[in-house]
Amino acid sequence: MAMVKANAYGHGLLPVATFLQDVVRADWFGVATTEEGVALRRAGITRPILVLGGFWFGQEAAIVHYDLATTLPDPDYLPVLEQAASQAGRTVAVHLEIDTGIGRLGLSPDQFTTVLERLKACPHLRLDGLMTHFASADLPEHADFTRDQIRRHALAVQQARAAGWTPRYIHLANSAGLHAFLPEAAGNLVRLGGLLYGIAGDALSPAFPPPPTQPVLSLHARILGLKTVPPGTPLGYGCTFVTRRPTRVATVPLGYGDGLHRIQSNRGQVIVRGRKVPIIGRVSMDVTMLDVTDVPDVALGNVATFIGSQGETTITAEEYAAVMGSIALEATTALTARVPRCYRAAAMSSAPGGREDTPASACK
Ligand SMILES: *Cc1c(COP(=O)(O)O)cnc(C)c1O
């Protein structure tokens, strides 16, 4: 199951999902919300889609109409879904999430028993899957906790089978679970997010070798303005940076309106002409300043790389995120709609919302 929630982790929902369907041939798509599932269907995704966060009251007709599979975070969602499916003369695939330790969306043991009981009276709902979600499969010190989650899930599957249910899909693993808990956590479906995008640095167990993946995403801007200012010049909102030497200041059009967190102000680094240079002054909504004094031959239009490589020099998404005390997934997911997504693979440039949507100059 290719997880494409949150705009495909910031990579761009429709081009990524289309590529995953047509080229990678993903069996399933996983999204968090009904809206995300509807967007996929409207864009022509025909593979099965599971809405992991379920639906809100009033959205059950959309679940039915767009043929989305859904979880049920509470027994109270059963009757409305059954009614909507029955009215439409359709069957909805239901995946029950069992809370085996994460304490989040899954059903408690009592709720699970209740739902299994009530499902018998819902001829338009098909129990298609039983799933759970790991709380800390990336942490070796919690390995026993994860094994306990796996055991509880197996018991719930047994309970359902004993009650006569034959769910087709049994799924437990996210990226960290797949990396650290095979074969126990394999089931017959795995839900991959981070690993799918090559984000393997900070969300996987350090106890096992990292998988041979490459990050899909890099983040760049071009130098829009260049000037030299004397020592003692304050730069940016709040005058939080004052130059101590004659300073060559490069301005790039990337700010918090693009998802570059303001906490990178006076902290983060960027690669220009193969060298790391500091972000100086406050990151503002649209613009960020760099100190390029020590970089020879800087010119307008030079690329400033926030995430990615120039030659031998690299800033990983994990390193970029560490500056703000966070993880790579938050950094990529934060990138807003204003940032043009440029897709490299030939197969992706024909995807809807792909290259042709973005001004050509942004993708050179
Ligand atoms: C987001 C999510 C995943 C994918 O997690 P990754 O760590 O990105 O692989 C899997 N399952 C559920 C329920 C999720 O919410």
Side-chain angles (χ1 to χ4, degrees):
M1 181 180 295
M3 297 301 298
V4 292
K5 60 190 179 184
N7 199 25
Y9 288 46
H11 295 62
L13 177 64
L14 302 183
V16 167
T18 305
F19 177 78
L20 288 169
Q21 173 170 271
D22 296 348
V23 181
V24 180
R25 307 209 171 276
D27 294 310
W28 273 85
F29 287 95
V31 293
T33 67
T34 302
E35 286 87 343
E36 290 174 326
V38 170
L40 287 179
R41 282 282 181 257
R42 288 194 169 155
I45 297 296
T46 54
R47 305 294 300 164
I49 298 171
L50 177 60
V51 184
L52 286 144
F55 58 93
W56 188 238
F57 296 105
Q59 293 183 313
E60 58 278 359
I63 294 280
V64 175
H65 180 76
Y66 289 99
D67 191 22
L68 304 174
T70 183
T71 60
L72 295 170
D74 190 283
D76 281 358
Y77 294 97
L78 261 178
V80 289
L81 189 59
E82 167 62 20
Q83 209 200 353
S86 149
Q87 265 172 14
R90 308 261 290 259
T91 304
V92 174
V94 167
H95 289 222
L96 297 182
E97 178 180 342
I98 299 133
D99 178 11
T100 57
I102 195 170
R104 205 175 64 159
L105 281 172
L107 299 165
S108 68
D110 285 357
Q111 289 176 316
F112 180 59
T113 305
T114 304
V115 169
L116 285 184
E117 194 53 43
R118 291 200 198 155
L119 261 180
K120 290 183 191 153
C122 298
H124 299 87
L125 306 185
R126 175 165 48 87
L127 182 59
D128 194 44
L130 291 177
M131 59 169 283
T132 196
H133 192 45
F134 294 137
S136 48
D138 56 325
L139 301 177
E141 63 271 31
H142 289 181
D144 285 341
F145 186 89
T146 304
R147 278 187 211 103
D148 194 52
Q149 287 200 268
I150 296 170
R151 192 183 53 81
R152 284 168 199 256
H153 188 251
L155 287 174
V157 172
Q158 261 179 29
Q159 179 190 344
R161 288 194 173 131
W165 297 100
T166 52
R168 177 153 174 218
Y169 295 100
I170 305 296
H171 48 118
L172 306 86
N174 56 357
S175 295
L178 179 74
H179 181 232
F181 290 93
L182 285 188
E184 315 94 280
N188 57 6
L189 186 67
V190 291
R191 305 182 304 270
L192 291 190
L195 207 47
L196 187 66
Y197 303 98
I199 296 172
D202 56 18
L204 298 184
S205 168
F208 297 90
T213 53
Q214 277 188 11
V216 168
L217 179 143
S218 58
L219 176 64
H220 314 269
R222 283 182 189 282
I223 293 177
L224 183 69
L226 265 175
K227 66 188 144 193
T228 303
V229 299
T233 306
L235 295 172
Y237 285 123
C239 304
T240 61
F241 186 90
V242 179
T243 56
R244 297 219 191 113
R245 56 174 181 173
T247 301
R248 193 92 173 120
V249 181
T251 310
V252 291
L254 194 85
Y256 63 77
D258 302 290
L260 172 64
H261 288 78
R262 198 165 165 275
I263 200 165
Q264 298 267 355
S265 305
N266 293 308
R267 291 191 195 187
Q269 289 193 313
V270 174
I271 308 169
V272 175
R273 298 187 75 83
R275 294 195 196 198
K276 289 192 186 171
V277 302
I279 292 175
I280 50 176
R282 284 225 177 112
V283 169
S284 55
M285 188 182 289
D286 312 309
V287 176
T288 296
M289 289 166 291
L290 312 173
D291 180 350
V292 293
T293 313
D294 298 327
V295 185
D297 304 326
V298 176
L300 289 184
N302 282 172
V303 173
T305 297
F306 287 74
I307 298 173
S309 298
Q310 287 188 16
E312 301 287 284
T313 313
T314 299
I315 298 174
T316 64
E318 288 83 354
E319 289 163 347
Y320 169 91
V323 172
M324 52 187 194
S326 186
I327 57 171
L329 298 187
E330 187 183 6
T332 64
T333 303
L335 297 174
T336 64
R338 189 167 73 178
V339 181
R341 268 68 168 177
C342 307
Y343 300 95
R344 286 276 179 81
M348 290 206 60
S349 54
S350 63
R355 191 187 273 264
E356 64 265 45
D357 273 16
T358 47
S361 59
C363 290
K364 281 204 187 116

